Amino acid sequence: MPPPLAIPVDAQLVGHDPAELAAFARAAEGAGLSRLWAPELHRSSTIPLAVAAAATERIGLGTGVALAFTRSPMVLALEALDLDELSGGRLALGLGAGVRRLNATWHAGPYEPPVRRMREMVAAVRELVAALAAGRDARSPGELYDIDVRGLRRGHPAPRGAVPVWLAAVLPGMTRLAGRVADGFLDHPVTSPEWLRERLLPELRAGAERAGRPVPEVAAALICAVDDDDPAAAVRAAAGTVGFYATVRTYEPMFAEHGFAARLPAIRAAFADGDAERLADAVGEDMTAAFAAAGTAAQVRERAGALEPLAGRLWATPPHHGQDAAGVRRWQAGILGALGDAG
């Protein structure tokens, strides 16, 4: 078995119901994990963290990620303040732009121009959090978010006057912005070590250098599926989630650069037909290995170790596409066993 990772390990907070969310949060804390990131797909990224905050005492909590453009800066600021209060100052506010189609057709919200929009959003949320925590007026001028709050006093305790803001990105423009303005950078679960090292980290450093500030902390994300008894089943599960992300046209350049452009039509067709077996076949073991860690605990630990030189922490996420509640529990348990203190 490879040695334990030298960097902190985070996990994705998912659960079939509130009781499962609380149970997994307690288990992750007990296993020595550093932070839980709550995704926003089948649930919101904020409400599950309230459940986790009540169930735990020490583990960090983060939105991983909250869709920034589907909320107003005021709503994001209030949610951040509430969660930071509920958790006793353990929140990291992870924000992402999502993709154009998701914003437009799922949320009927604005998207363009995403980088400038995110820059103004971050500035507005930070100003609102600071002002509401300090009991003062808030002003954040901008072309897309022009915030002017006078006379509002929140009247609730705030553990901190600032909440760390993390930005998620998979392409260069948003990554440069993270370097310029964020406290931390959230890698995407389906990027590879090569993409992170060669495409994203140079942009993150360039953004930080341009702003004259330190490079933000990096959380390298990794889809992890562990099964010592049936490693092939772990690979198939991970392949389904890799295939899910491979249908997103925004990410096509990344898959193409890794040599998998020719597979994308078959992947999209299988996904559209709802054929999980065909989807895993279309992805294949080699594409799965490029973008995920799947197999025995030793194999997953070894693959995760490749990210240690690139990041300050690892963010392990279970396969989700095509998985029922029992399946997700299985992969969550595997992450705790392979990557927790007892692994």
Side-chain angles (χ1 to χ4, degrees):
M1 175 76 74
L5 297 184
I7 57 176
V9 177
D10 303 344
Q12 193 173 64
L13 176 64
V14 291
H16 181 65
D17 54 34
E20 279 199 5
L21 289 169
F24 180 70
R26 286 190 293 267
E29 185 172 76
L33 268 64
S34 179
R35 181 176 289 147
L36 292 170
W37 296 97
E40 190 154 82
L41 184 61
H42 303 106
R43 295 186 184 277
S44 74
S45 64
T46 52
I47 304 303
L49 291 181
V51 176
T56 58
E57 297 178 354
R58 302 177 306 278
I59 194 167
L61 304 173
T63 53
V65 295
L67 292 172
F69 306 157
T70 65
R71 297 168 168 87
S72 72
M74 177 63 83
V75 168
L76 273 172
L78 291 174
E79 289 177 331
L81 285 163
D82 284 344
L83 288 169
D84 210 42
E85 179 187 349
L86 289 170
S87 65
R90 289 185 278 151
L91 180 71
L93 183 63
L95 299 178
V99 297
R100 181 178 292 103
R101 182 181 177 187
L102 181 149
N103 280 268
T105 64
W106 289 23
H107 295 276
Y111 181 79
E112 301 288 357
V115 174
R116 189 176 75 187
R117 185 174 295 278
M118 185 67 80
R119 183 176 67 246
E120 291 190 14
M121 173 63 81
V122 170
V125 169
R126 280 198 172 127
E127 167 62 8
L128 285 163
V129 167
L132 292 168
R136 63 170 175 81
D137 294 344
R139 180 77 180 108
S140 183
E143 295 180 10
L144 301 170
Y145 299 108
D146 190 27
I147 301 302
D148 188 2
V149 179
R150 304 180 188 183
L152 176 65
R153 299 296 182 262
R154 185 166 176 263
H156 302 298
R160 301 178 286 178
V163 172
V165 175
W166 288 60
L167 288 187
V170 70
L171 297 176
M174 195 66 73
T175 305
R176 283 194 299 274
L177 178 66
R180 291 178 60 185
V181 306
D183 298 296
F185 173 71
L186 278 169
D187 181 29
H188 193 285
V190 83
T191 56
S192 68
E194 294 78 15
W195 187 264
L196 179 61
R197 181 179 59 248
E198 297 168 14
R199 294 296 186 185
L200 299 184
L201 292 183
E203 301 293 346
L204 190 71
R205 290 190 289 266
E209 183 177 354
R210 179 178 176 183
R213 61 195 299 270
V215 178
E217 183 181 4
V218 175
L222 184 63
I223 299 165
C224 296
V226 182
D227 193 322
D228 284 331
D229 296 324
D230 192 353
V235 173
R236 298 287 289 186
T241 297
V242 171
F244 169 83
Y245 287 118
T247 65
V248 180
R249 296 193 182 276
T250 301
Y251 308 149
E252 187 169 334
M254 179 181 65
F255 290 108
E257 186 164 315
H258 285 78
F260 298 114
R263 297 192 197 179
L264 298 181
I267 289 171
R268 289 173 180 144
F271 178 83
D273 291 342
D275 190 330
E277 292 302 314
R278 205 169 95 231
L279 178 63
D281 289 339
V283 172
E285 293 185 8
D286 55 343
M287 186 171 172
T288 303
F291 296 104
T296 65
Q299 289 171 326
V300 169
R301 183 92 63 82
E302 182 177 7
R303 172 67 166 77
L307 294 168
E308 285 185 312
L310 306 177
R313 60 178 59 238
L314 173 72
W315 172 25
T317 73
H320 60 79
H321 182 70
Q323 300 296 311
D324 59 14
V328 172
R329 287 194 295 269
R330 170 188 181 186
W331 307 124
Q332 284 178 309
I335 287 172
L336 297 188
L339 301 176
D341 285 347

